[in-house]
Amino acid sequence: MIAGRPLLQVRGLRVHVPGPDGRRVDKVAGIDLEVGENEFVSIVGESGSGKTLTVMSLCALTPPGVGITGSAVLSEAGREPTELIGAGPEVLRSVRGARIAYVFQDPLDALDPVRRCGLQVADAYAAHSRKSRADAAAAALRALKRTGLPDPHRVYEAYPHELSGGMRQRVALAAALIAGPRLLVADEPTTALDAQSRSQVLSLLDGLRADVGGLSVLLVTHDITLARKHSNRIYVLNSGRVEEVLGHEGGFKPVSAYARRLFSADPSAHAPRTRIPV
Amino acid sequence: MRGAVAWLIGVVLAAIVAPLGLGEVAQRIDLQAALLPPGPGHWLGTDGLGRDLLARLLVGTTASLGVAVLSTAVATIVGVLIGATAGLAGGRVERALLGLIDLTLCFPAFFLILAVVAMLGPGLTQIAVIIGLVGWTQTARLVRAEILSLKERDFVAAARVLGAGWWRICRVHLLPNASGPVIVSAVLGLSSALLVEGGLSFLGIGVQPPVPSWGNLLMDGRSCLGVAWWMTLFPGLMIFLTVLSANVVAERISEPSSIAPEGRR
Amino acid sequence: MRRWIVRRALAMVPLLVGITLVSYAVIRLAPGGPVDAQSEMNPRMTAEARQKLVEIYGLDRPVYEQYLSWAWRVARLDLGRSMVDGRPVLEKIAQALPVTLGVNALSLVIVFAAGIPLGVWSAVRRGSAVERGVTTLTLAALAVPAYWVALLLISGLGVGLRLLPVTGLQSLEHELLSPFERVLDTARHLVLPVFVSALAGTAVVARFMRASLGQTLTRGYVRAARARGLSEHAVVYRHALRNALLPVITLLGLSLPGLLGGSVLFETLFALPGMGRLFYDAVNTRDYPLVMGVLVLGAIVTLLGNFLADLGYLWADPRIRTAHREGTSR
């Protein structure tokens, strides 16, 4: 099913949280998932289906008290495969940002409100390199420029609240990609944005993938249209399990009742679209 | 937690019962038995006039706790009234009341209490009312904030549309929402009133002898410092344990909503 | 931003008026007015002296006129003369204020230097023995009457073991000591008062800091910083701590009145010649001009402290800075 070599292989991933009576509650109940090199894979599902927990558990970014078991192996070409689940803090730190990067839903929440945007991008660079602060600053400026920000110098000096939502998400993207990761996990990256910035951010992501070459994307979304448009493969999650895997070659035709219901909420599925007079 | 509740219940019982049973014992002077250390006859020792310290501490509970409870009641009533008025009235009234809160907070509370008590003369009720009149600001802020957030909720707008008056809305919606924080702030006010009364009496400006209170017993202890350690140790311990218990209880009540600082004041 | 500062300064004017009103009202509370109370305290007061007092304070005029003339004098920094020794009130305060401010500045340094690390420590080590220890200690420090701790320390360390001096700022032989020994002498005198007055404040700051940092650590930008591979140290100290410290600035301003109020007890206990001691004596001798003067100045010091804290907040938080530059919020 995978086009290229597998980059990430998840087997039997379980995530449990402490329940109200102290017993474990499985939020993710055994998920298998693959992302190939240079692939664009989406995870869709209702809210509470475990999408976000699944991708956050890969780099142990879950809140304290959350338990993760199973296996997730990251294997890049020319590198020893790394088991992520249960990895120590130093291994995790070297993976985060440099090999697997994250973009979050709300860019205002994902940027430190009292630190200049450029410095936050430079921080991400410096975390994985021994170069000087000046080098980090130069790299950050280049990264900001690559994301198509109109005035990278001004953005570098700006605080997050001084930018628009779309600009903030570009800053977050620049910070995510600056250390050259092979896999980008994007958790609802467009939900908090307005319609225009939404399509811009996604086409920017496509452009960046073409630029960098060999960047895989794991997108978490409830926007079926978006997932259909960009993905090679779509995982449909239902209460912590994979309900269905849909391929591009199959035209993303859902079979199960759950997936059909989910996809029927997608406006692009009802062609031809009729314009409602306003 | 259980210990704290038990201690508080014990203190309240002592405040009610002790004056009835021990009032006379606490005042009995026996110069033969002056300054006895803790022992079988007098469990916590005696003071310079041979009076039993344990009896005096138990009887002193009435004054100390009475002042604290009364002042907390005053602070809570004033705070709720001012906070609710500010939140409901809005506009100029609200600004004026907020100014009143700021003004009250400008004065070092202990300076103000000390000055007023000294001017009016030390009476138990006066002390309690003054401590209360200085300590209502926190409650007022809480209640006002609760009303403001309530005003923005849909169900309140719906109730307004349906013709419910503010009084009814406050009774049905505000009281259940605000009572938790108000109780917590009242319990904390109780402990701070205990500390303040202790300090006043310790300075000789609060509860006046011969009526014993924890604070003026501590003042007695100060005059016998280095001679009778028990006269310093036990009154302070009473204040400490009672305040500690009240704080523990307040903390436990507030835990589910876990009070955390949010932005600026 | 300059406009904000001006507006913030102007907002203090009604408060200043309120401060003088309250301070004036307090001494009018004495039954029969100040002169009655004064003569009652002093059996030697003759009818003539009484008349003189009435004239000095203009007590034969209506109350609002009396207040206005007093407030007008206060506005020109004329706080009158002490009734006890006839010295200008301002002079007496000027002599006492440095002692109080000095002791309080030292204890504020300790409060924040000890409280912040304790709070950070217990927030970072949530659920550990460290956190439980800090929680227990701060609970105890908040509940313990400081004057009692002071008494225990005086009887234990001072009277019992003779380790530290317990009264005043200087030993009797202070004048005979070398400059270095003088500093050491004063420092030894300050240890107990500063420790006792810093106790509760340290607990307040530690608890506040723990709650603030604990909340900040759950924020999205902390997770995002971790996701970029930043070290745990950088995540906590560069991102979370900076944000968690912002509300502490306000706490600094708010803690001033409590410290000033507490100085009455400590300065009486340790016989320090500061504002608290001065106020206590003034209240006891019914020295009205001095009582009013200390009340007014104490409140003004607090007002200025809050103003400075707001300025500090403005300087530290870029969001508020922008809001005020654009004039969008208050």
Side-chain angles (χ1 to χ4, degrees), chain B residues 106 118 195 198-199 203 232 251 261, chain C residues 147-148 207 215 280 283 286 302:
Chain B
C106 271
L195 290 173
L203 287 174
T232 302
E251 186 140 307
Chain C
Y147 38 89
W148 180 54
R207 291 167 67 86
Q215 204 192 33
Y280 178 61
V283 162
R286 305 214 160 193
T302 309

Side-chain angles (χ1 to χ4, degrees), chain B residues 238-254:
Chain B
M238 291 296 276
I239 303 179
F240 174 50
L241 289 178
T242 310
V243 173
L244 185 66
S245 304
N247 287 355
V248 167
V249 169
E251 186 140 307
R252 189 50 65 93
I253 304 174
S254 67

Side-chain angles (χ1 to χ4, degrees), chain C residues 89-138:
Chain C
V89 167
L90 205 60
E91 190 187 304
K92 295 188 84 161
I93 292 178
Q95 217 167 47
L97 195 60
V99 174
T100 304
L101 287 186
V103 171
N104 282 339
L106 276 176
S107 74
L108 267 184
V109 169
I110 291 181
V111 161
F112 285 89
I116 291 177
L118 279 176
V120 170
W121 205 16
S122 61
V124 174
R125 303 273 174 89
R126 195 142 274 201
S128 68
V130 168
E131 194 211 353
R132 278 195 299 278
V134 172
T135 307
T136 312
L137 268 180
T138 53

Side-chain angles (χ1 to χ4, degrees), chain A residues 2-271:
Chain A
I2 304 179
R5 289 186 57 232
L7 176 65
L8 176 72
Q9 274 188 301
V10 178
R11 289 287 172 262
L13 181 72
R14 303 178 86 90
V15 182
H16 56 82
V17 299
D21 52 352
R23 279 187 309 163
R24 296 167 159 199
V25 177
D26 274 2
K27 288 287 183 182
V28 174
I31 278 185
D32 296 345
L33 184 148
E34 261 135 50
V35 181
E37 277 191 343
N38 210 17
E39 249 197 337
F40 195 120
V41 174
S42 292
I43 302 182
V44 301
E46 292 173 336
S47 29
S49 59
K51 306 176 296 232
T52 297
L53 269 181
T54 301
V55 294
M56 291 305 152
S57 63
L58 296 178
C59 281
L61 292 172
T62 45
V66 172
I68 307 164
T69 56
S71 157
V73 177
L74 183 68
S75 36
E76 295 130 293
R79 233 181 163 153
E80 281 288 297
T82 310
E83 172 62 60
L84 299 177
I85 307 301
E90 269 316 298
V91 174
L92 282 171
R93 203 182 79 73
S94 69
V95 170
R96 293 169 180 168
R99 297 166 72 185
I100 302 182
Y102 283 81
V103 195
F104 299 93
Q105 176 169 350
D106 183 357
L108 186 58
D109 192 42
L111 293 169
D112 184 343
V114 299
R115 195 163 169 80
R116 294 180 193 279
C117 290
L119 290 179
Q120 298 193 46
V121 180
D123 287 342
Y125 180 82
H128 301 287
S129 119
R130 295 181 186 280
K131 299 252 177 67
S132 68
R133 289 304 297 179
D135 286 330
L141 211 52
R142 279 197 305 276
L144 288 171
K145 208 173 290 176
R146 259 208 310 275
T147 60
L149 281 161
D151 188 352
H153 286 277
R154 190 180 74 79
V155 172
Y156 190 99
E157 294 293 328
Y159 287 99
H161 68 275
E162 297 170 330
L163 302 176
S164 72
M167 286 162 93
R168 284 196 284 261
Q169 198 57 297
R170 283 163 199 258
V171 173
L173 257 177
L177 297 179
I178 193 167
R182 307 318 298 164
L183 174 63
L184 178 71
V185 177
D187 182 16
E188 307 266 16
T190 56
T191 312
L193 305 179
D194 58 82
Q196 198 190 355
S197 323
R198 206 172 281 188
S199 62
Q200 279 175 2
V201 164
L202 254 291
S203 40
L204 168 68
L205 189 54
D206 279 343
L208 287 171
R209 287 183 69 210
D211 274 4
V212 180
L215 175 66
S216 306
V217 175
L218 183 56
L219 173 75
V220 171
T221 185
H222 60 251
D223 187 341
I224 306 290
T225 322
L226 199 75
R228 278 166 178 258
K229 191 170 161 203
H230 296 270
S231 307
N232 300 101
R233 203 154 10 93
I234 301 180
Y235 286 84
V236 182
L237 254 58
N238 182 12
S239 33
R241 291 172 206 282
V242 176
E243 178 89 21
E244 223 179 318
V245 186
L246 306 170
H248 187 256
E249 54 278 18
F252 301 122
K253 284 264 158 51
V255 178
S256 69
Y258 171 80
R260 283 224 300 273
R261 185 158 50 78
L262 209 60
F263 274 56
S264 69
D266 170 20
S268 72
H270 305 291

